[in-house]
Amino acid sequence: MPSTHDWINEPLGVAEGMFAVSQSSQATGWEAKVVEFFKDQLKEKEAQTAVPSLNDVPLHYLKPDGLVKFRCLVQDMFDPEFYMGVYETVDPSTGAKTLRSGRYKDVAECSVDFSSKHTVTVERQTFYCVPIPGENPWVKEMYAGASQARVVPSTSYVPSRQKRSYEDMDVQPQKQRDAQAGSPSPAEPHGNGDCKRQETEAPSGQTTTASHLDLNFPLPGEKGPSCLVKVYEDWDSFKLNDALEVYGVLSVSPALSALADEKDALLDPSGCMETAEEQRVHSPPASLVPRLHMLYAKRLPHNNPLLPCTTPQDNSAFFSSTLAEMASVRAELHSFFTRVLLGDALAAEYLILQLVSTVYSRRDVLPLGKFTVNLSGCPAVASYAERLYQIIQQLVPSSFYLAMSLQNMNRMRLVPKKDYVANRLVSGALQLDKNTSLFLDETRLEQGQLDATGVRNVTALGNLISWQKVDYDFSYHQMEFPCNVNVLVVSEGRSLLPSDCHVRLQPQVAPVTMEEYVSSIQVHPHAASQLNKFRIYLSVARLLDYSISDNVTKSVEDDFVDMRKDDPQSVSAEDLHRLLVVARLLSLSLGRTSLSRDTWLQAKHMEAQRRSRLEQHRSVNGNEP
Amino acid sequence: MSSPASTPRGRKRGRSSNPSTPSSRGPTSPSSQRRRGQDSSTGDLMPMPVSPATDMLSPATPQDTSLFSSPRPSVLPNEVDMSSPLMYGTPSSRVEGTPRSGVRGTPARQRPDLGSVRKAPQVDLHSDAPSADGGAAASEPNAAQRLVIWGTDVNVGACKEKFQRFLQRFIDPTSTEDENAGLDLNEPLYMQKLEEISVVGDPVLNVNCQHVQSFDAEMYRQLVCYPQEVIPTFDMAVNELFFERFPDSVLEYQIQVRPYNALKTRNMRSLNPEDIDQLITISGMVIRTSQLIPEMQEAFFQCQVCAFSARVEVDRGRIAEPAVCRHCNTTHGLALVHNRSVFSDKQMIKIQESPEDMPAGQTPHTTIVYAHNDLVDKVQPGDRVNITGVYRAVPMRVNPRQSNVKSVYKTHIDAIHFRKTDEKRLHGLDEEAEQKLFTEDRVQTLKELAAKPDVYERLSAALAPSIYEHEDIKKGILLQLFGGTRKDFSQTGRGNFRAEVNILLCGDPGTSKSQLLQYVYNLVPRGQYTSGKGSSAVGLTAYVMKDPETRQLVLQTGALVLSDNGICCIDEFDKMSDNTRSVLHEVMEQQTLSIAKAGIICQLNARTAVLAAANPVESQWNPKKTTIENIQLPHTLLSRFDLIFLMLDPQDEAYDRRLAHHLVSLYYQSEEQMEEEFLDMAVLKDYIAYARTYISPRLSEEASQALIEAYVDMRKIGSGHGMVSAYPRQLESLIRLAEAHAKVRFSEKVETIDVEEAKRLHREALKQSATDPRTGFVDISILTTGMSATARKRKEEVAQALRKLIQTKGKTPAMKYQQLLDDLRGQSETAITKELFDEALRALADDDYLTVTGKTVRLLA
């Protein structure tokens, strides 16, 4: 069997070896054997980390035809292509014929004998993959730090860098405020950090400044390689917007770029089949968009580097240990959030619930478990909302900040749209991985008129919140794609968007000192270990299972009936829905996988508090709808 | 993944990848400098009555006949070698010198859709032919009849004969295709079509592959597997037959056979390498069409020195430029003359999978289609089409100088036949396009389900299981999903009867009306969901816009037209502007939509069922008011709804408990558990689709009696209290509901139980929506006139009282308005509102008793 070095550096050699064996022994199924082999090799965590990752190693440091991994999101699916699965080559000098396999390759060797009887045409599928949109810098750096593949000695991924970029961010609040509305400002400082890093690591200037080539990232201001992943098996099981970790053979042959074909276009009858634009999109230069021939891919249940990449069932040891200390971590997080939310303990509770919510099931059209919180009454001073986002950004693996300014709503593309000229799905900001936190900043609203795009965008946000789905625009028809995005709406008054739960913020800070207080909110750099605890906590709580025992069901039912008896107007079916979600999230946030009577009462109490707060506010401020 | 069979594929690949060595063949094959591959078939027309042109060419005649009359071996039994099918496609070399007009004055037209047929076996003709023959057939005695086209098992003679027999004999008495309208179904179908061709002069014969299959499965297999060889054979056969039958008819060019409806592949997603070079039919939506591409078929070269001309056929996009003039032997003296070269039309069309064919969570696939000659510009972006054509794969070249090849093929389809699936939607029913294919098993399951006595309850329970109770509403929606039977009374002047059931849901906010609508929208294949707040009249109907590409005015259809044959769900119906709502009047009864704007005047079909949801005006339902008063919708519109349901919060303990249980279970049951309890959504979908397509129940005798009784009863109920509780519209509703219920049972007959259920449901809905809050009686006039009978009576009374009051005042020709009102108020025991007073005045004015001018009331007469 080949050594570690071999299968990482020359995976094609392994595949070819197996192909040759199968040819001589007339055995079939060598493809399965190859996949099996790599799956076996990659079982060990060490082996996985030894594979260089496209996410954090610049492309030009990677060995062509070597094994790489890529953490990505399926952004678009191209049409299946037919390739020569098996073909015969003729040696021009000796005339000897050899059978070769075209699997995991883009370009066939010279002097292919086209009239050979042994040629076999096979189908494969191409996915256009981008790095997970909105993946926060801490996630990227931690993954990079865990990687053992030191391709180039000079490249160092010291985790301490991470702090530096945070400091950058903290000393430049002014700059953030001035940042362009088009690209969400908090992303800006990281961009700076990235640039710096790239300067040190990639002196040859392999910055992804492909001005003429739109790499089609869902979110503005994103960086990173995108990739054409060729899938050989079972491609029907992959879905659009799946987050994957792909292991595959890297192919960067310059022959792949569309530009190489250009001169040929006149002569080649196949050249005029596609428009120039389409060619540019479907065969971009391999130096910018490498090809990746998938050997093996796994779906990522989450993209938190601190968690083992498995489900709770498979890794019970890790999860039971975290479960034990969940309650204490929650308490810490709660006090932290209380401070951040200007001393409002109730809002802090709801913020925790919002962060651990996830759509766990769908009953016909109804998504269950979604929990969109509208945090109203946010002070408009000192860009409070942005600060809040920066803190959330430190805690969740991926997030996106959308300032709902008039300009943004009218200009941004939120809904992905099919571009028939280039034959691709042009991404929009709502093409997000599951469990991405979407932060809608409504404090940035201003007076003005929404145009047609703006109205569509607001409708799309509304649909996302109420049904957890996005209708992708296919021009002649729309297609519905379910999603699972945590939405937090921050606004001054009640939000114009629907929400599951409206919490009125009650700052405990005197308005005079507000500005000072707000600018003092930040993540302390020394609290890295605490931060990690929070990060693990939030991700784990999302993955837990949940149940309600029969007698609790009974008591919940009784409770509901009693509440209705007192005042039928006060509690509707919708309220019960919300109560059940709150109870569920509350249990999970405490690390309990089944609902207890206490938690139920606590949930009821929280809801009552929240409602009375709204009532109070309404009576103070009569015109609140 | 599939790896295709070897022989034919290998050959084809070899052919298509040859261009690396074109120079080797160019000059050595003079045959390729001939014009038309299918000139050959003109040879077959020889024995026919002759025109002067033929006479002139008579020397060529015997030769031609001998070459191409192999299907009639009796005539020329020993010309076996020469009639070898291998010659097919390259015979043009034999008729060299034949003028372009051909024997019969009917030129053949190239079929670029089938690719360069003539090139197929060429190389092998002399070298490989013996061996190929030997391998394929020659071992048999009497090899003549056994010869096949190289690489296939098609014997040209046999195939031609078979096809002619098919044309002459095929009868399909059960044909329902609209294309066959006007043809005698008991006569050979295609002979009638040939006759049509001779009259109309459009030389295209569309052949349904299903017919071929039922006639001769072997021929069908060959057609599907080797379209490139078989279709030209069909062409030959058809032309022979045609000119035999109609020797005098003049056609622009020879008849081309266009097969369609090959059942090989239905779905773009299932295309795989095995389909390469086969005849396939796929459905999809046109998303882009290119400009017309002139494709050179034949290059015309002229020698600069001696003006000698040479024609070179284009071979896979390449022209083998003759290096030496054959006449004066000048080298490199030939120049291409563009306007004497022959071009054919070509168009690139992109089609995309139709949304129904797609698995969830994937993006649609696209395929490139090339249309040639008269198929160019047959389809427009947005059209749903069924395309029959030949699937092709061409290897992509990386660099012409190195023969390094990208190991990827480009695929496209050469279109042979387009069939628009939505073309006929404007004209009439298109059951076929709607038809979903059900497997035997599926039909069996559905029928089993239908046989269950409680199928109605089961289905209604399966509808939106997450929404609690509201049994009757769900049942109503279920019936709406099935719809009534379509009836056509256009002969008697009444036009189509509405078969769709319209439903209005009104009630308190937060009673999951929107959820129901969403569910229905997701369930039906052609559903539309709009919100009353966000939609304008044009958004619902149609609007004219300028297409940015073509700069032409195009009609863009709105939600109502798009949901033709489906359900249009309109949320927040009450928030709709009056203007918008008014377009619904026509749609909801006549099922059409008339448009007159920007020079476009037309009537579109909008046979859509409307499912609307409305909130009460006062945000909470006021039980003291009538439906109309609660939702403030015009009664003209309300009366068009078959069923109006109220969704109210019942506010009763037992209900609360069940509701709580239902909701809680929603939150902890695993998905499998829930699946068990209810029918799968997919089954429900199929069930509905099946019933809608295949079942069209008719009223039985008892059922019609029951309906009559029910109607009479309804009228009677009202008449006791001096009100009308039913109008013919209600009878129609009852019929529709009864039919829909019969459909649920998969019954072709409407029986009494259907009528019973229809009555019950209708009554339930009426009870909820048309109860007069003042009296507690059901009063349909609330919905039909917007006013309950009691209210009307009250108006009468006030008017009478007023008249009396005025009469007691004696002869005063004019009175103050306010004075009169005060007097009346003082006189009456009950409170009289200003509105009531106004109405009374108006009633009297209508009787010409008085007139009201400003603030004075004048008596007339």
Side-chain angles (χ1 to χ4, degrees):
Chain A
M1 274 284 114
S3 72
T4 322
H5 195 71
D6 283 346
W7 66 262
I8 289 184
N9 282 326
E10 279 165 26
L12 280 178
V14 177
E16 253 155 42
M18 288 186 179
F19 174 70
V21 169
S22 82
Q23 285 303 312
S24 56
S25 64
Q26 299 294 312
T28 52
W30 67 277
E31 295 96 338
K33 269 185 218 148
V34 174
V35 174
E36 207 47 46
F37 170 79
F38 282 100
K39 249 189 209 166
D40 257 13
Q41 296 291 335
L42 289 168
K43 249 186 205 139
E44 294 306 311
K45 184 120 177 79
E46 272 82 76
Q48 285 182 18
T49 52
V51 178
S53 166
L54 260 182
N55 293 87
D56 41 60
V57 183
L59 186 60
H60 59 277
Y61 287 147
L62 289 169
K63 190 177 172 303
D65 293 335
L67 186 71
V68 292
K69 63 179 175 187
F70 186 40
R71 201 170 61 254
C72 59
L73 176 99
V74 181
Q75 192 269 324
D76 194 4
M77 292 162 152
F78 292 160
D79 295 327
E81 60 186 22
F82 294 172
Y83 68 100
M84 288 182 273
V86 178
Y87 59 91
E88 207 166 23
T89 53
V90 189
D91 193 318
S93 51
T94 62
K97 294 189 171 183
T98 350
L99 271 188
R100 283 169 177 279
S101 156
R103 220 172 142 94
Y104 310 122
K105 281 181 221 161
D106 279 310
V107 180
E109 277 87 350
C110 298
S111 57
V112 176
D113 177 11
F114 287 104
S115 46
S116 161
K117 281 201 193 89
H118 301 283
T119 311
V120 181
T121 312
V122 197
E123 198 179 4
R124 69 183 173 205
Q125 173 70 279
T126 308
F127 293 157
Y128 186 82
C129 294
V130 295
I132 293 173
E135 197 175 62
N136 284 322
W138 65 268
V139 178
K140 288 198 168 93
E141 305 206 0
M142 228 175 268
Y143 270 120
S147 168
Q148 295 169 7
R150 300 260 183 266
V151 183
V152 176
S154 70
T155 327
S156 61
Y157 300 96
V158 192
S160 67
R161 242 179 220 298
Q162 172 192 355
K163 277 173 206 151
R164 185 139 136 229
S165 69
Y166 294 153
E167 281 156 18
D168 285 354
M169 173 175 73
D170 291 329
V171 295
Q172 297 173 336
Q174 195 55 48
K175 193 176 169 189
Q176 287 156 26
R177 228 167 299 152
D178 301 337
Q180 248 292 311
S183 61
S185 40
E188 197 73 12
H190 309 304
N192 291 346
D194 273 7
C195 284
K196 238 177 235 168
R197 209 150 30 101
Q198 247 165 6
E199 263 163 15
T200 50
E201 287 165 14
S204 57
Q206 202 265 327
T207 42
T208 42
T209 47
S211 52
H212 65 287
L213 196 77
D214 177 15
L215 288 180
N216 211 5
F217 293 123
L219 301 180
E222 288 260 312
K223 290 209 168 62
S226 54
C227 200
L228 282 169
V229 177
K230 310 271 179 182
V231 189
Y232 288 83
E233 268 165 354
D234 204 20
W235 51 79
D236 282 344
S237 67
F238 296 103
K239 294 213 156 70
L240 200 71
N241 303 345
D242 270 354
L244 306 174
E245 185 161 54
V246 180
Y247 290 87
V249 182
L250 183 74
S251 162
V252 285
S253 165
L256 290 171
S257 117
L259 299 168
D261 280 351
E262 222 157 47
K263 272 174 259 147
D264 198 21
L266 272 179
L267 294 172
D268 192 359
S270 60
C272 54
M273 262 186 212
E274 291 173 337
T275 57
E277 213 153 326
E278 186 171 349
Q279 274 202 347
R280 209 163 47 215
V281 166
H282 285 258
S283 25
S287 55
L288 280 176
V289 182
R291 316 295 194 266
L292 195 58
H293 295 266
M294 183 193 283
L295 283 163
Y296 162 63
K298 61 179 173 195
R299 258 180 215 89
L300 296 172
H302 58 81
N303 58 335
N304 190 337
L306 295 162
L307 254 63
C309 194
T310 44
T311 51
Q313 288 78 32
D314 303 334
N315 204 327
S316 47
F318 174 84
F319 282 95
S320 54
S321 71
T322 39
L323 271 189
E325 54 181 35
M326 267 179 95
S328 66
V329 179
R330 186 186 196 279
E332 281 177 50
L333 185 62
H334 183 245
S335 65
F336 175 64
F337 274 162
T338 310
R339 198 160 53 78
V340 171
L341 293 171
L342 312 174
D344 188 337
L346 183 71
E349 287 280 355
Y350 275 101
L351 185 58
I352 293 177
L353 300 191
Q354 193 269 338
L355 287 176
V356 301
S357 72
T358 178
V359 176
Y360 63 96
S361 155
R362 279 173 196 270
R363 293 294 274 129
D364 31 80
V365 290
L366 191 73
L368 295 178
K370 64 167 179 117
F371 194 65
T372 302
V373 171
N374 172 210
L375 204 61
S376 71
C378 288
V381 292
S383 52
Y384 174 70
E386 278 160 40
R387 281 173 180 280
L388 187 59
Y389 172 69
Q390 280 160 26
I391 284 156
I392 289 173
Q393 202 183 16
Q394 295 298 316
L395 297 173
V396 296
S398 29
S399 58
F400 176 56
Y401 170 89
L402 178 61
M404 288 184 64
S405 66
L406 197 65
Q407 196 193 14
N408 265 0
M409 293 319 285
N410 280 343
R411 294 237 184 109
M412 262 181 95
R413 178 179 289 117
L414 291 186
V415 176
K417 183 180 189 311
K418 178 89 179 186
D419 174 0
Y420 285 114
V421 178
N423 196 16
R424 68 163 169 185
L425 189 66
V426 179
S427 193
L430 293 187
Q431 190 173 21
L432 296 171
D433 179 28
K434 58 182 182 312
N435 290 335
T436 306
S437 287
L438 180 63
F439 190 97
L440 299 176
D441 184 359
E442 229 178 76
T443 58
R444 303 280 290 260
L445 268 184
E446 58 222 74
Q447 204 175 11
Q449 193 167 14
L450 286 177
D451 58 20
T453 331
V455 172
R456 259 202 302 278
N457 279 342
V458 172
T459 319
L461 283 176
N463 272 342
L464 174 80
I465 291 170
S466 5
W467 308 108
Q468 286 287 336
K469 63 166 193 189
V470 179
D471 287 320
Y472 288 17
D473 183 0
F474 280 81
S475 171
Y476 302 99
H477 58 98
Q478 306 211 316
M479 215 148 50
E480 200 177 291
F481 284 88
C483 54
N484 186 356
V485 175
N486 289 0
V487 189
L488 179 65
V489 189
V490 171
S491 58
E492 279 175 81
R494 192 198 160 101
S495 166
L496 63 100
L497 296 167
S499 62
D500 296 309
C501 176
H502 176 198
V503 182
R504 179 91 206 160
L505 194 67
Q506 276 183 350
Q508 307 295 312
V509 182
V512 196
T513 55
M514 184 74 83
E515 193 137 356
E516 197 183 326
Y517 186 91
V518 167
S519 38
S520 72
I521 300 173
Q522 52 181 276
V523 185
H524 293 291
H526 64 263
S529 70
Q530 198 188 15
L531 266 182
N532 281 352
K533 258 199 278 177
F534 291 162
R535 290 165 183 169
I536 294 174
Y537 165 79
L538 289 176
S539 293
V540 167
R542 255 182 210 173
L543 294 172
L544 292 177
D545 266 344
Y546 174 74
S547 66
I548 306 179
S549 67
D550 280 349
N551 48 4
V552 178
T553 312
K554 188 84 187 60
S555 81
V556 167
E557 283 167 36
D558 289 342
D559 248 9
F560 180 69
V561 174
D562 286 347
M563 282 189 280
R564 297 266 300 177
K565 218 187 279 173
D566 297 344
D567 180 7
Q569 293 300 321
S570 69
V571 188
S572 66
E574 219 155 282
D575 292 320
L576 182 60
H577 265 293
R578 180 165 45 231
L579 255 178
L580 284 164
V581 179
V582 170
R584 177 196 151 88
L585 294 173
L586 196 61
S587 303
L588 292 180
S589 74
L590 290 164
R592 299 185 195 138
T593 53
S594 72
L595 180 64
S596 68
R597 176 97 193 127
D598 286 348
T599 323
W600 171 251
L601 290 178
Q602 202 185 335
K604 260 176 71 179
H605 179 68
M606 271 171 65
E607 273 293 280
Q609 253 187 312
R610 183 182 69 85
R611 288 169 72 129
S612 76
R613 224 185 240 196
L614 287 181
E615 288 295 322
Q616 212 180 336
H617 182 74
R618 196 168 301 157
S619 53
V620 173
N621 226 8
N623 54 359
E624 178 88 351
Chain B
M1 204 167 301
S2 51
S3 24
S6 53
T7 2
R9 187 118 315 109
R11 176 183 65 77
K12 276 160 201 156
R13 188 155 310 107
R15 174 164 45 72
S16 51
S17 51
N18 263 344
S20 48
T21 56
S23 52
S24 64
R25 283 192 308 108
T28 56
S29 54
S31 63
S32 69
Q33 292 178 13
R34 278 304 312 142
R35 258 181 323 116
R36 312 257 139 124
Q38 283 153 21
D39 272 3
S40 60
S41 42
T42 57
D44 296 324
L45 309 170
M46 272 305 95
M48 279 170 239
V50 284
S51 63
T54 329
D55 279 336
M56 207 172 69
L57 293 163
S58 47
T61 311
Q63 187 199 9
D64 278 348
T65 323
S66 69
L67 267 176
F68 300 109
S69 56
S70 57
R72 281 165 287 172
S74 54
V75 183
L76 292 153
N78 39 5
E79 294 266 358
V80 218
D81 278 343
M82 291 307 282
S83 67
S84 155
L86 289 171
M87 300 298 294
Y88 174 69
T90 51
S92 40
S93 53
R94 309 277 165 163
V95 285
E96 196 151 6
T98 311
R100 170 177 283 249
S101 58
V103 196
R104 275 276 307 149
T106 315
R109 197 168 177 187
Q110 257 176 341
R111 296 201 64 161
D113 47 353
L114 293 174
S116 26
V117 183
R118 69 200 88 86
K119 286 153 200 147
Q122 191 182 344
V123 191
D124 307 298
L125 180 59
H126 301 294
S127 53
D128 288 6
S131 65
D133 282 352
S139 56
E140 302 275 329
N142 192 8
Q145 260 61 32
R146 294 272 158 195
L147 283 177
V148 294
I149 298 178
W150 192 83
T152 71
D153 58 359
V154 180
N155 178 323
V156 172
C159 182
K160 216 156 116 180
E161 222 169 323
K162 263 193 220 167
F163 189 65
Q164 285 182 339
R165 202 154 8 112
F166 165 76
L167 292 176
Q168 282 164 329
R169 305 220 183 124
F170 183 79
I171 299 170
D172 182 11
T174 57
S175 165
T176 51
E177 284 175 70
D178 55 322
E179 278 140 20
N180 301 343
L183 299 185
D184 186 349
L185 293 180
N186 295 317
E187 292 289 312
L189 184 71
Y190 289 100
M191 291 315 284
Q192 296 180 63
K193 288 205 174 173
L194 283 183
E195 203 174 320
E196 210 175 275
I197 292 175
S198 78
V199 175
V200 179
D202 182 21
V204 171
L205 180 70
N206 294 325
V207 174
N208 190 338
C209 292
Q210 284 314 98
H211 294 166
V212 177
Q213 191 181 24
S214 61
F215 187 79
D216 185 339
E218 172 67 12
M219 185 162 68
Y220 172 73
R221 187 192 59 77
Q222 289 184 338
L223 171 64
V224 167
C225 294
Y226 313 111
Q228 199 160 315
E229 289 80 15
V230 172
I231 295 174
T233 316
F234 282 7
D235 281 352
M236 285 200 291
V238 117
N239 282 305
E240 261 173 44
L241 197 67
F242 180 78
F243 287 107
E244 215 167 90
R245 278 281 164 115
F246 311 100
D248 297 330
S249 62
V250 176
L251 294 181
E252 199 186 330
Y253 52 90
Q254 291 192 4
I255 298 175
Q256 299 193 342
V257 173
R258 301 229 169 109
Y260 65 95
N261 202 11
L263 272 186
K264 183 83 177 71
T265 309
R266 291 291 299 190
N267 187 329
M268 208 181 293
R269 202 160 279 266
S270 53
L271 284 179
N272 62 34
E274 275 175 37
D275 295 319
I276 294 176
D277 284 328
Q278 305 218 332
L279 190 72
I280 50 164
T281 298
I282 55 168
S283 60
M285 192 169 64
V286 178
I287 51 171
R288 247 163 66 80
T289 55
S290 75
Q291 301 277 318
L292 190 136
I293 307 165
E295 194 181 43
M296 190 180 282
Q297 289 296 325
E298 188 182 84
F300 185 92
F301 287 97
Q302 196 164 41
C303 178
Q304 306 276 36
V305 180
C306 63
F308 177 79
S309 62
R311 290 168 187 275
V312 179
E313 278 198 47
V314 176
D315 184 3
R316 270 148 284 156
R318 278 165 201 276
I319 306 161
E321 185 184 344
V324 185
C325 173
R326 279 197 290 157
H327 188 252
C328 61
N329 282 329
T330 324
T331 49
H332 303 294
L334 288 152
L336 182 67
V337 181
H338 271 281
N339 49 9
R340 290 189 67 185
S341 301
V342 179
F343 292 89
S344 73
D345 296 346
K346 179 173 158 185
Q347 187 180 32
M348 189 198 82
I349 296 165
K350 273 243 162 106
I351 59 167
Q352 181 187 280
E353 250 176 318
S354 29
E356 301 90 66
D357 290 341
M358 271 173 23
Q362 311 242 335
T363 58
H365 285 180
T366 55
T367 307
I368 296 170
V369 175
Y370 282 117
H372 303 274
N373 293 335
D374 59 332
L375 288 180
V376 167
D377 271 343
K378 271 279 162 65
V379 291
Q380 299 290 324
D383 284 347
R384 304 271 179 114
V385 289
N386 277 330
I387 289 179
T388 305
V390 184
Y391 196 41
R392 308 271 190 198
V394 187
M396 282 203 282
R397 296 169 55 77
V398 167
N399 188 333
R401 262 151 273 130
Q402 306 161 5
S403 57
N404 216 359
V405 173
K406 237 189 223 177
S407 60
V408 175
Y409 294 97
K410 289 215 161 192
T411 53
H412 69 267
I413 296 171
D414 276 324
I416 293 177
H417 186 273
F418 284 120
R419 187 182 170 82
K420 283 192 209 178
T421 47
D422 52 358
E423 181 180 41
K424 286 162 290 171
R425 276 178 56 202
L426 293 178
H427 310 307
L429 286 189
D430 184 17
E431 296 299 343
E432 201 208 18
E434 294 283 291
Q435 221 169 64
K436 237 179 119 182
L437 275 184
F438 295 101
T439 58
E440 292 282 315
D441 291 358
R442 197 62 165 184
V443 173
Q444 199 55 40
T445 351
L446 294 181
K447 286 201 169 138
E448 266 165 34
L449 186 62
K452 288 190 175 136
D454 60 342
V455 58
Y456 181 51
E457 281 73 23
R458 264 168 194 265
L459 290 179
S460 67
L463 204 68
S466 65
I467 296 158
Y468 186 62
E469 291 224 323
H470 298 300
E471 301 280 318
D472 283 330
I473 297 176
K474 283 189 187 174
K475 281 179 181 169
I477 291 177
L478 187 72
L479 295 187
Q480 180 183 37
L481 289 171
F482 283 89
T485 315
R486 285 235 167 89
K487 308 169 203 73
D488 191 359
F489 286 95
S490 37
Q491 270 131 351
T492 52
R494 242 212 88 168
N496 281 322
F497 257 55
R498 168 157 69 98
E500 279 74 18
V501 177
N502 297 325
I503 294 184
L504 174 69
L505 308 174
C506 32
D508 294 341
T511 39
S512 46
K513 293 188 297 292
S514 307
Q515 251 186 68
L516 258 180
L517 258 57
Q518 276 279 345
Y519 183 86
V520 170
Y521 160 64
N522 279 298
L523 187 71
V524 292
R526 208 175 271 167
Q528 290 291 324
Y529 184 95
T530 62
S531 172
K533 224 196 285 179
S535 35
S536 62
V538 285
L540 282 178
T541 56
Y543 51 97
V544 177
M545 62 170 266
K546 202 171 228 168
D547 189 282
E549 257 177 59
T550 59
R551 293 168 155 270
Q552 280 175 339
L553 289 179
V554 287
L555 197 65
Q556 293 276 336
T557 45
L560 284 170
V561 182
L562 286 175
S563 57
D564 187 25
N565 282 327
I567 293 185
C568 187
C569 303
I570 307 176
D571 207 353
E572 306 197 58
F573 197 60
D574 50 315
K575 308 269 191 316
M576 223 178 234
S577 74
D578 292 339
N579 188 11
T580 315
R581 236 184 264 133
S582 63
V583 303
L584 286 168
H585 282 105
E586 188 189 348
V587 173
M588 287 177 64
E589 200 57 63
Q590 273 70 46
Q591 307 265 286
T592 55
L593 212 114
S594 307
I595 289 164
K597 55 181 72 162
I600 296 178
I601 298 168
C602 61
Q603 199 170 43
L604 301 172
N605 269 331
R607 291 155 305 182
T608 167
V610 175
L611 176 61
N615 286 321
V617 175
E618 297 164 28
S619 82
Q620 201 79 28
W621 190 267
N622 186 345
K624 295 193 184 64
K625 289 185 168 177
T626 63
T627 312
I628 302 260
E629 286 160 339
N630 259 314
I631 53 180
Q632 295 284 327
L633 284 176
H635 55 85
T636 44
L637 200 54
L638 280 188
S639 66
R640 282 174 163 81
F641 285 102
D642 297 83
L643 298 171
I644 298 176
F645 286 109
L646 297 191
M647 284 183 97
L648 298 181
D649 224 349
Q651 305 183 356
D652 113 74
E653 190 177 324
Y655 170 83
D656 290 347
R657 183 167 295 279
R658 288 195 308 263
L659 174 68
H661 183 75
H662 178 80
L663 290 184
V664 176
S665 67
L666 204 65
Y667 277 87
Y668 74 85
Q669 272 184 348
S670 65
E671 264 181 78
E672 297 82 59
Q673 264 175 304
M674 296 190 278
E675 300 273 301
E676 276 168 32
E677 278 174 50
F678 301 107
L679 271 175
D680 194 5
M681 194 158 161
V683 176
L684 184 62
K685 259 187 188 170
D686 280 0
Y687 194 95
I688 293 170
Y690 185 86
R692 280 185 77 107
T693 8
Y694 295 105
I695 316 281
S696 47
R698 302 187 69 86
L699 290 177
S700 68
E701 191 52 43
E702 305 94 75
S704 24
Q705 281 306 320
L707 277 170
I708 294 168
E709 265 169 46
Y711 181 61
V712 172
D713 279 352
M714 278 162 72
R715 300 269 304 183
K716 254 192 226 150
I717 294 172
S719 66
H721 318 288
M723 8 182 191
V724 186
S725 57
Y727 288 97
R729 242 187 204 153
Q730 272 69 45
L731 178 59
E732 279 173 28
S733 294
L734 273 186
I735 297 173
R736 273 193 288 272
L737 291 171
E739 282 167 350
H741 189 261
K743 268 193 191 175
V744 175
R745 298 186 297 116
F746 276 11
S747 160
E748 288 288 351
K749 234 182 192 170
V750 181
E751 313 210 18
T752 339
I753 47 162
D754 302 317
V755 179
E756 288 303 315
E757 174 58 23
K759 250 164 74 181
R760 191 193 65 79
L761 207 60
H762 194 254
R763 203 172 49 232
E764 283 304 313
L766 271 187
K767 216 195 278 170
Q768 289 182 359
S769 60
T771 306
D772 186 347
R774 289 183 199 98
T775 60
F777 291 119
V778 173
D779 182 359
I780 191 70
S781 54
I782 290 175
L783 300 180
T784 49
T785 64
M787 197 181 230
S788 73
T790 9
R792 207 166 327 130
K793 213 152 124 203
R794 176 117 186 83
K795 193 178 89 180
E796 286 296 288
E797 281 166 8
V798 174
Q800 286 311 316
L802 186 63
R803 189 196 280 260
K804 260 189 212 145
L805 181 78
I806 294 170
Q807 274 163 0
T808 54
K809 293 225 167 182
K811 294 258 180 261
T812 37
M815 281 158 286
K816 286 270 181 312
Y817 174 90
Q818 196 57 40
Q819 177 70 36
L820 205 58
L821 175 59
D822 290 344
D823 284 355
L824 189 66
R825 274 188 179 156
Q827 198 186 43
S828 162
E829 305 103 56
T830 53
I832 289 175
T833 58
K834 197 159 177 296
E835 288 78 39
L836 206 53
F837 179 69
D838 282 341
E839 275 181 31
L841 276 181
R842 222 172 295 135
L844 292 181
D846 288 345
D847 295 347
D848 284 340
Y849 184 68
L850 47 76
T851 57
V852 183
T853 43
K855 287 281 163 208
T856 40
V857 178
R858 273 171 225 284
L859 285 187
L860 294 170

